[in-house]
């Protein structure tokens, strides 16, 4: 979980730096995040981890059709990483199927 968090933070920080350097507007961080359901045990924590990866994949997927070159590669790599982590979390949780046909697409 810590490695996944570090990977997400690293990608976020790199994107914020890129947008800021290019003169783009970076939205302010939210003060906190509300959990979608109570996390009181291992099973709930694993479900949350899957959900975090799926939701993050959806944001990267949206970037694919509007980017090219290195930016598109960055978005595709991020989407792929989210899909792989979600698969690992599903395996740990005993959730099937382990994979989804189009990671990051709306269900």
């Amino acid at each position: 979980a810590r490695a996944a968090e570090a990977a997400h933070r690293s990608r976020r920080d790199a994107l914020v730096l890129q947008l800021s350097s290019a003169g783009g507007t970076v939205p302010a961080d939210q003060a906190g995040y509300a959990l979608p359901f109570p996390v009181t045990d291992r099973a709930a924590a694993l479900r949350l981890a899957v959900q975090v990866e799926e939701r993050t994949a959806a944001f990267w997927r949206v970037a694919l059709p509007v980017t090219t070159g290195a930016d598109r590669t960055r978005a595709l790599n991020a989407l792929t990483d989210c899909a792989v982590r979600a698969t690992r979390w599903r395996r740990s949780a005993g959730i099937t199927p382990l994979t989804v046909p189009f990671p990051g697409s709306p269900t």
Side-chain angles (χ1 to χ4, degrees), residues 3 17 23 25 29-30 32 35 44 56-57 59 62 73-74 83 91 101 103 107:
L17 181 61
T25 303
D29 283 340
Q30 294 181 5
L35 295 178
T56 305
F59 286 105
V62 169
T73 299
R74 182 178 298 114
R91 183 179 58 216
T107 54

Side-chain angles (χ1 to χ4, degrees), residues 42-68:
R42 181 180 188 274
L46 289 168
R47 280 195 332 270
L48 179 62
V50 170
Q51 192 172 95
V52 165
E53 297 300 344
E54 288 174 343
R55 288 182 175 185
T56 305
F59 286 105
W60 287 110
R61 185 179 183 82
V62 169
L64 290 175
V66 296
T67 54
T68 59

Side-chain angles (χ1 to χ4, degrees), residues 25-41:
T25 303
V26 178
D29 283 340
Q30 294 181 5
Y33 301 95
L35 295 178
F37 50 83
V39 179
T40 58
D41 58 14

